Amino acid sequence: MDSSPLRRAVFVDRDGTLNREIEGALASPEQLELVPHAAEALATLARAGFAIVVVTNQSAIAVGALDHERLARVHRALADELARQGATIDLFVACPHLDRDGLPPYRRACPCRKPKPGMLLDAAERLGLDLARSWLVGDALRDVAAGRAVGARTVLVATGKGEREHARALVEGGGAEFFVADLAQAARTIVAAEAGSVMASPTQGK
Ligand SMILES: [Mg+2]
Ligand SMILES: [Zn+2]
């Protein structure tokens, strides 16, 4: 049925999409709070054959509010909690850079900070992904832009910055193919879209 040797993926933004966004840097596991039904959503997508790749801008590293070790600890805790609930993250990719306001060695106009697609391209190479058959789920228009840039289909969630970003897209464009309540609904939408049974929301293509 599926003859491509490449896997499909769902790229999932972290803060505001997978876990609640907090003020400042999320620098320790105690600050982690998953959005409702996050693990169930990821498990649904994995069962549908998608690799799950978390792609996160972490400019907190560039400004010295976070370091790689603490970020790794947060991601380990996140992966552990999801695993306890039956979900697996195939890969975490983080961008530690920031143009202008960053500190050396992270002050650079990198190819990975979303809306640029570098993290998605990196993951595609490492995991062998079929980007045109992949999806991106995020709460910001820059997530959507990164997904679009690699030809993936896109879903904007209303959690995190999502409501505001959706309102902005209605004026400025740059919206996702689908706008849904949260990650759980995003997973259902993706599975249904793959089965050919949902219509795109009216913001498509703007
Ligand atoms: Mg976000
Ligand atoms: Zn970067």
Side-chain angles (χ1 to χ4, degrees), residues 3-206:
S3 59
S4 170
L6 298 175
R7 283 184 85 186
R8 300 177 302 166
V10 178
F11 297 103
V12 183
D13 169 57
R14 199 192 76 182
D15 301 324
T17 302
L18 182 55
N19 55 266
R20 286 192 205 286
E21 203 159 33
I22 63 156
E23 209 57 50
L26 199 165
S28 94
E30 294 74 50
Q31 296 168 296
L32 268 175
E33 189 189 342
L34 293 171
V35 300
H37 310 294
E40 206 180 308
L42 297 184
T44 296
L45 292 169
R47 268 197 309 278
F50 292 99
I52 306 296
V53 180
V54 172
V55 287
T56 179
N57 283 355
Q58 290 298 321
S59 58
I61 290 179
V63 298
L66 183 65
D67 57 41
H68 283 289
E69 193 192 323
R70 282 187 294 164
L71 179 64
R73 210 178 306 143
V74 167
H75 285 174
R76 220 154 30 234
L78 182 53
D80 286 351
E81 179 54 33
L82 287 167
R84 250 194 305 280
Q85 299 183 38
T88 305
I89 304 281
D90 291 277
L91 185 65
F92 284 91
V93 192
C95 164
H97 307 112
L98 193 60
D99 198 5
R100 289 203 307 267
D101 297 328
L103 303 167
Y106 302 111
R107 181 170 58 210
R108 54 178 288 226
C110 66
C112 42
R113 181 170 169 80
K114 295 173 287 185
K116 296 204 179 129
M119 291 190 282
L120 286 69
L121 296 171
D122 180 34
E125 197 168 301
R126 287 158 73 177
L127 298 182
L129 302 176
D130 185 344
L131 290 168
R133 293 166 65 240
S134 293
W135 290 76
L136 173 131
V137 183
D139 72 321
L141 298 185
R142 67 182 174 197
D143 300 319
V144 171
R148 271 234 183 99
V150 300
R153 299 180 74 179
T154 55
V155 183
L156 184 70
V157 291
T159 51
K161 302 180 175 68
E163 287 280 3
R164 237 182 314 138
E165 291 283 274
H166 178 62
R168 191 156 76 82
L170 291 175
V171 177
E172 299 173 13
E177 185 178 348
F178 297 96
F179 176 59
V180 303
D182 56 15
L183 184 59
Q185 199 187 338
R188 288 193 294 272
T189 299
I190 290 168
V191 169
E194 292 285 327
S197 64
V198 288
M199 301 291 289
S201 61
T203 56
Q204 178 175 24
K206 286 188 76 175

